[in-house]
């Protein structure tokens, strides 16, 4: 349905953006980048399209290029937690966990940070060996018991050491 709408309304950025995101959702990354590229215009910059393009590039392993998109998006929407979250995950993908944690901590401090942003930070905290901090963060959204289960799962089934 979106494909047909995109064909009929090939100059409508909203329809093109939705179609591009749906292509990315099913793994058609090159096509998604093409469609999102047509949806975005420097005359009408849209941070959410740039953020989506960055996420696609990260999924394709093109992290440096992805980060350029995130940083451009942040110029349009400074401190936007969803952009910062994707940028943080981009750093995590290349095992730069210190930078990932820093960026995600910044994102979490934003009043509009979602549970997804907090979950991304918690994952990075687990990767850095900061399980207690990750569990405390997750407990805000899912409760203590569920947070403990998630953190244990992310830790490869290892339970936290007491002490």
């Amino acid at each position: 349905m979106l494909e047909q709408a995109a064909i009929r309304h090939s100059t409508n950025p909203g329809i093109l953006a939705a179609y591009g995101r749906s292509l990315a959702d099913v793994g058609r990354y090159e096509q998604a980048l093409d469609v999102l590229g047509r949806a975005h215009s420097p005359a009408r910059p849209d941070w959410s399209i740039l953020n989506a393009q960055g996420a696609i590039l990260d999924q394709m392993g093109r992290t440096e290029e992805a980060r350029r998109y995130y940083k451009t998006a942040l110029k349009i929407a400074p401190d936007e937690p969803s952009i910062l979250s994707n940028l943080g995950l981009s750093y995590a993908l290349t095992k730069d966990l210190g930078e990932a944690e820093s960026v995600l901590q910044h994102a979490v401090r934003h009043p509009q940070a979602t549970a997804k942003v907090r979950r991304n930070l918690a994952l990075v905290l687990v990767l850095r060996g900061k399980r207690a901090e990750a569990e405390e963060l997750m407990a805000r959204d899912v409760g203590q018991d569920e947070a403990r289960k998630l953190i244990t799962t992310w830790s490869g089934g290892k339970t936290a050491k007491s002490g």
Side-chain angles (χ1 to χ4, degrees), residues 16-29:
L16 290 173
Y19 180 48
R21 287 184 182 99
S22 72
L23 289 167
D25 288 343
V26 296
R28 294 169 58 186
Y29 302 131

Side-chain angles (χ1 to χ4, degrees), residues 49-94:
I49 293 173
L50 293 166
N51 190 36
Q53 288 171 303
I56 292 165
L57 289 164
D58 263 333
Q59 290 175 8
M60 296 172 73
R62 294 163 54 184
T63 55
E64 291 304 317
E65 194 175 349
R67 291 175 193 165
R68 286 193 297 272
Y69 277 85
Y70 299 136
K71 290 174 182 177
T72 301
L74 285 168
K75 289 177 184 173
I76 300 166
D79 298 326
E80 169 56 45
S82 62
I83 303 168
L84 291 167
S85 183
N86 283 344
L87 179 59
L89 289 177
S90 182
Y91 285 116
L93 285 171
T94 57

